[in-house]
Amino acid sequence: MQNLNEKYQSVLEQREKVLKEIQDMQQQEIIKKYLELQKQKDNLEDEYNQLYKEVKMEEYKSCQHILVTDTVAGSGFNYQQYFGCIKCGLTSKVLDFPREKLNSLQLQAMYDYLYKNHFINNTFYDLRRLTGIETNIDCDIDLAQAIYTRIKNAHPTIDDVTAIKYFEIALNDIRNIKVNNERKINRARRLSLNDNFNRWDNRRI
Ligand SMILES: [Zn+2]
């Protein structure tokens, strides 16, 4: 017990000493300046986050979407079908998560956009309410966006109908030309996907 009391007393004193030192330091001009900058940074961060989401939501609203489906196999014969845009990346996948589980600003903006516009069910009824072109392509949405981005980089002024044609050619090449694992990893890297990306072909479900 005595030991414990001594330890308690010692920690109490150290703590007070440190708190006092912090208080003294906070009186220094340079520290005041530092604290003020931290506060400004936090405020700007909040403002930035808010504006980023608004910009993204505006992008989703004004995009003439090119829509694909993304069929994901579940257990047994179950599967889940999502929709997504290969241009802006908007995907109904986000609706599968509670909002607080979405850890990126972009995914939160997607969720807010879909939710705000009452796309609360992941159905094709919702899909048809988005403006743009609905294709019959079924493809992982990350892969689809990666392919589209490459086409758009190579042909900045390409129209949507031609872009879809190029997209289908690129996707068919990826699916039909057999490559070994190493080349698949290189291909994933070229498309800025994860090394372990393996959803090249949604048809094999
Ligand atoms: Zn879009």
Side-chain angles (χ1 to χ4, degrees):
M1 187 66 194
Q2 197 193 348
N3 226 335
L4 188 66
N5 274 340
E6 273 169 23
K7 206 169 168 189
Y8 170 78
Q9 206 55 40
S10 152
V11 168
L12 189 75
E13 278 163 23
Q14 282 178 59
R15 181 170 161 268
E16 268 168 20
K17 198 169 150 247
V18 168
L19 283 173
K20 173 89 176 61
E21 254 179 276
I22 290 174
Q23 266 176 359
D24 288 347
M25 279 188 83
Q26 282 173 344
Q27 298 312 312
Q28 291 176 26
E29 282 313 308
I30 185 99
I31 304 292
K32 275 187 194 166
K33 173 100 184 146
Y34 172 82
L35 292 172
E36 175 55 32
L37 285 173
Q38 280 289 352
K39 209 164 99 188
Q40 278 184 34
K41 190 196 81 166
D42 290 346
N43 289 342
L44 283 169
E45 205 118 296
D46 288 348
E47 214 175 331
Y48 166 83
N49 289 350
Q50 187 54 40
L51 285 171
Y52 175 87
K53 278 190 229 165
E54 281 174 33
V55 166
K56 276 285 162 195
M57 283 166 81
E58 205 45 50
E59 198 181 310
Y60 299 140
K61 194 171 127 194
S62 59
C63 179
Q64 287 298 308
H65 304 291
I66 297 177
L67 298 164
V68 298
T69 54
D70 184 359
T71 308
V72 179
S75 57
F77 291 106
N78 292 331
Y79 65 89
Q80 179 74 46
Q81 200 159 42
Y82 301 96
F83 66 84
C85 169
I86 69 177
K87 289 164 84 178
C88 68
L90 182 69
T91 167
S92 63
K93 273 184 183 175
V94 289
L95 296 175
D96 269 3
F97 299 91
R99 193 186 183 285
E100 61 274 14
K101 286 266 163 70
L102 300 170
N103 53 13
S104 91
L105 284 177
Q106 191 182 0
L107 295 179
Q108 288 171 12
M110 253 180 225
Y111 185 96
D112 291 347
Y113 175 76
L114 291 173
Y115 204 81
K116 201 175 139 202
N117 291 286
H118 312 296
F119 292 95
I120 42 177
N121 293 311
N122 183 19
T123 66
F124 284 90
Y125 167 71
D126 283 338
L127 170 70
R128 292 199 182 93
R129 288 171 50 211
L130 293 170
T131 54
I133 302 175
E134 188 184 338
T135 71
N136 290 320
I137 302 166
D138 192 78
C139 178
D140 176 87
I141 193 67
D142 291 334
L143 174 61
Q145 216 191 350
I147 295 171
Y148 177 80
T149 304
R150 278 175 72 89
I151 293 169
K152 189 75 183 163
N153 285 343
H155 312 277
T157 57
I158 197 166
D159 65 274
D160 285 353
V161 174
T162 315
I164 293 170
K165 279 188 199 143
Y166 286 13
F167 179 88
E168 284 188 297
I169 293 167
L171 186 63
N172 283 336
D173 279 353
I174 284 175
R175 287 177 172 172
N176 296 333
I177 300 168
K178 296 270 164 280
V179 293
N180 63 29
N181 247 355
E182 194 187 333
R183 290 197 47 198
K184 276 185 188 165
I185 292 172
N186 286 334
R187 188 167 65 190
R189 282 184 190 157
R190 275 202 310 278
L191 288 164
S192 308
L193 297 163
N194 286 335
D195 282 4
N196 55 3
F197 181 83
N198 65 358
R199 303 200 63 236
W200 303 104
D201 196 343
N202 275 5
R203 289 170 301 178
R204 292 198 200 108
I205 53 171

